[in-house]
Amino acid sequence: MKKEILESNLIVKLSFELSLSVIDYCKQLDFQKQFLLSKQLFRSGTSIGANVFEAQNAESKPDFIHKFKIAAKEVDETQYWLLLCQRSENFPDCTNLLSKLEEVDKVITKIISTSKQKQ
């Protein structure tokens, strides 16, 4: 892993930390035998960081923006699964995870907007 990118790039760091939190939350869901929801959340929640990380080696500015747009879509899907968890009975609390997701979403939105202006 490119440790220096993880430590020096805010969105890479935030999305990586979000992925770790998603993994922990999915473990809690698995413990409650909520395997289907856990699998969906795991895929979308960790995909955000994967796309952000991949964007760091984009072939062009449009490729960079495209990868961040995919990450933004994964943010939306992750939010959907978390809201389902939040509003379902007897699911682990995901308030902290939703807050982290919102922070990542704001940074990704800003990066996309700024990158489009500089094109």
Side-chain angles (χ1 to χ4, degrees):
M1 178 191 295
K2 297 179 180 179
K3 189 175 179 182
E4 61 278 357
I5 291 176
L6 186 59
E7 293 173 356
S8 65
N9 186 310
L10 176 64
I11 190 57
V12 172
K13 181 179 180 181
L14 289 175
S15 61
F16 188 81
E17 289 172 357
L18 175 67
S19 292
L20 292 173
S21 295
V22 166
I23 290 167
D24 288 341
Y25 188 78
C26 287
K27 286 179 186 176
Q28 293 177 52
L29 291 176
D30 288 345
F31 182 75
Q32 292 186 347
K33 299 188 184 330
Q34 299 296 337
F35 302 114
L36 297 175
L37 198 100
S38 173
K39 187 175 183 178
Q40 293 287 348
L41 177 59
F42 183 90
R43 285 184 179 180
S44 64
T46 58
S47 180
I48 299 164
N51 281 289
V52 166
F53 201 78
E54 187 179 344
Q56 305 312 301
N57 290 309
E59 296 175 11
S60 63
K61 182 67 85 174
D63 185 41
F64 178 84
I65 293 168
H66 177 71
K67 286 176 180 15
F68 267 95
K69 284 184 175 181
I70 294 170
K73 288 181 180 184
E74 296 296 339
V75 165
D76 291 342
E77 183 178 344
T78 301
Q79 183 181 37
Y80 175 80
W81 298 123
L82 287 172
L83 289 173
L84 280 178
C85 291
Q86 185 181 49
R87 299 202 180 157
S88 296
E89 288 187 33
N90 302 319
F91 275 65
D93 181 38
C94 61
T95 307
N96 187 44
L97 201 45
L98 281 163
S99 295
K100 287 182 181 185
L101 183 64
E102 185 178 334
E103 183 179 10
V104 167
D105 186 34
K106 287 178 183 177
V107 176
I108 287 174
T109 300
K110 182 67 175 173
I111 288 169
I112 292 170
S113 174
T114 303
S115 297
K116 282 182 174 181
Q117 290 173 1
K118 291 182 179 179
Q119 248 185 336

